[in-house]
Amino acid sequence: MTLGSDRIAAIEALNKKSLWLASWMVHHANHIRPNVDGVKVGGHQASSASMAMLLSTLYFGVLKPEDRVAVKPHAAPIFHAIQYLMGRQEKQKLIDFRAFGGAQSYPSRTKDTADVDVSTGSVGLGVAFTAFASLIQDYVRAKSWAKTDRPEGRMIALAGDAELDEGNIYECLLEGWKHGLRNCWWIIDYNRQSLDGVVREGLYDRIEAIFQAFGWTVVTLKYGALQRAAFAEPGGDKLKSWIDNCPNDLYSALMFRGGAAWRERLTDAIGDQGEVSALLARRSDAELAELMANLGGHCAESLLEQFNAAGSDTPTVFIAYTVKGWGTPLAGHKDNHAGQMTSAQIEQLRAAHKIRDGHEWDRFEGLENPEELQSFLDAVPFNTKASRRLSSAAVPTIGPQFLGTGATSTQAAFAKILDAYAKSDSALSERIITTSPDVTVSTGLGAWVNRRNLFAPKEKVDLFQKEAIPSTQKWRFTPSGQHMELGIAEMNLFLMLGAAGLSHSLFGERLLPVGTLYDPFISRGLDALNYACYQDARFLLVATPSGVSLAGEGGAHQSIASPLIGMAQDGLASFEPAFADELAIITDWAFDYMQRTGDARPDLADWPRDVTGGSVYLRLSTRTLEQPPRPVTPALSEGIIRGAYWLNPPTPQCEVVLAYQGVLASEAIEAAARLGGDRRNVAVLAITSADRLNAGWQGSVRARMHGDHTPSHIEQLLAQVPNKIGIVTAIDAHPATLSWIGSVCGHRTIALGVEHFGQTGTVQDLYRHFGISSDDIVRAAKQFASF
Ligand SMILES: Cc1ncc(C[n+]2csc(CCOP(=O)(O)OP(=O)(O)O)c2C)c(N)n1
Ligand SMILES: [Mg+2]
């Protein structure tokens, strides 16, 4: 083998090695490493094998450092093996595959130390993420503040064919088409097998038609070079048409059974024709099996040819025919998804790969010319950058944009605050990118969009403006625009926020994404939200309106569980302010928090995340409230950010505490006035973030076990309240959001909130119906004290 002149041979050799390492990694984790708890470890040998050559060809032969790749989740073993061969993954991580601190089961940006661009795991999301990443790349590159010397990358997804059953793929295709998607490749491992079995016949035609309808280039990688050579032999056309007409399940079954079975079946079907018989007879059983397994997705030569020929301006889908379990004794078996090689089968593979006992992890064991392979690896373009992760300095915040107002809702205040950012000539405002799934105007982004415009690669005027039709909305599309308008698909919103929220790391330019939607529809995109947080994307989510305070909209639009989602979602700090000044302070803080990077204290796990930062979720309302006339002192600001402050502090005569979050501020204040009059015996605790209060408390409890006795914010607040005093909590959402407060210092607690689907009616009708009106708060308080 002469390297340089023979890249294909090098790729094939390294692919063989990756296949062994991936198979061994799973085998070792399941059968050699002691299993201390009897729980299955798992891993996907067949899914990895199916994609081995696709990954090898890309990583060793096609990718450039600026390309970003989402690898099919269950191809993690082969991905880790390839990274290891390139010196980008440690051997110990492979040995510890799926063990604590080892290489992850599914490629993870945050948990793996290897060079993972895009986490995967929940099928379909990684694929769609690449499209949004590409749109964000175009967005960033169109900006005057962006560095121009960086080459443009391709956003590439390596997908399983069953991933195409996920609906978010099609939502994303629509959005991609609208925004002129480019630089995006989806490479489909078309092994015609999913988890449960063999997929339906004829799927290919459907897939091809769908992608073509959305303007994608479809490249079919059906036959490998060996097959194409055989088709050119006399009788080859008959073989080709037999392959084309062979049902998926039969092809898989014969692949599993091997060369003799192929010969028998082919001879039965087409072997009575002299030329075909001769074609078959020229090959041994092993050669025949190799020929039939030489589908396009397993042929480095065909793959290199097609990948190199592909352009970047049209999104391209490559449908690569493959065999699940290719190159292993699992090939083609319908139960091979989670199936693993037996010890006998792994020994068979070991023999085929010439691996000596004790040398299983050696980089070049069983391969010829290790030095030449090493020099090849050193020159692989993808491997020329030590780290492909980029960074971008934090943009300084500009302070709370508080606009003194009379009575207002948090949603209206948000619109004004964002408009103030739009007016500000600051670097921070330049980096804000807003996005919304068709609820831009109704969630308060209208004024921002009027000033900062919508993004489009090419200028487009607002025709209504041009035709002098009066409208409060000026929708001008321009490359400098800062709003990305999406169709009604909340999954797309979160994928977009995920991609924009990683712009600093993917494209080296900081973005501050702000996404708006209706609070109840968070659930619609929940997996994509979780996915964005898992990738550590940074964004501000503004959910408005919320709760039964939405009154006339009824149960379909009224959110109940969302504060609990906000509390439970890792990587997302959630707030529900009641007043405009609180919102201004939280927004300013959020832009800083979104840009933090620091090491968490190991004894506190990841809590509190004040050091590491994260994303922020604001639950806002359309209900107008009187605003407290007050100066914003540093102490007040601190309380707002830490999650609570005393609106009425407890006095020595305190008989009850009323604690509220969000718009029930007015009910709590009214109840306090009715209960206490001027006796000042009712304390009112304003909670801006049950999430941060709870997280701080959990963090302190854990720290205490390690000798750190600093009390959390809620402990400090409640330390002022004698134990015999009761607490009434009230929220326009599920009562469990606040009911835990009783456990902090052992106060008896009654938690008021909404537990059933909403209704239509006036706000007060609904508050009475759900037991969260001021009357209900008074009634609950009387359970604790004799007023
Ligand atoms: C959202 C989601 N649902 C279910 C699963 C479980 N799951 C993992 S792989 C898989 C099937 C994958 O088939 P395919 O995409 O064809 O990949 P192959 O293993 O054939 O390469 C399923 C259902 C998952 N990971 N994510
Ligand atoms: Mg499949």
Side-chain angles (χ1 to χ4, degrees), residues 47 72 74 121-123 160-163 166 191 193-194 324 337:
S47 293
K72 170 183 93 167
H74 27 296
S122 178
V123 295
D161 44 359
E163 289 199 60
E166 287 286 1
N191 59 26
Q193 281 188 255
S194 61
K324 196 157 171 172
H337 184 81

